[in-house]
Amino acid sequence: MLDYDKEAERYDDSRGGEPRAAAAAEGVLSLVPRQARRLLDVACGTGIVTRRIVVGRDGLRVVGVDLE
């Protein structure tokens, strides 16, 4: 069985790392109305995209949740 705690760092790198996360966050933010103040990121995984969303828009409170 895969131990996700041990794999998390390599997982992100193997899927495009920070450049992919930045592009994904930009895509998400393009869909979120400017007046939104809260966003729930369901199945956020390692949180790499969630962190970029937080940085991408002032005043937006983002909560990420995942299975574990």
Side-chain angles (χ1 to χ4, degrees):
M1 178 176 235
L2 187 62
D3 182 339
Y4 288 102
D5 290 335
K6 291 180 181 175
E7 294 297 320
E9 195 170 312
R10 286 182 288 204
Y11 181 88
D12 288 335
D13 289 340
S14 71
R15 285 155 179 80
E18 291 294 335
R20 181 204 55 91
E26 185 177 319
V28 169
L29 286 171
S30 74
L31 300 171
V32 177
R34 295 291 314 168
Q35 68 271 23
R37 294 293 163 242
R38 293 178 286 176
L39 180 69
L40 177 61
D41 184 359
V42 177
C44 67
T46 64
I48 190 171
V49 176
T50 309
R51 288 189 302 272
R52 289 292 194 136
I53 293 170
V54 170
V55 172
R57 186 173 302 169
D58 290 335
L60 181 63
R61 181 172 180 230
V62 182
V63 175
V65 295
D66 205 294
L67 188 58
E68 289 189 34

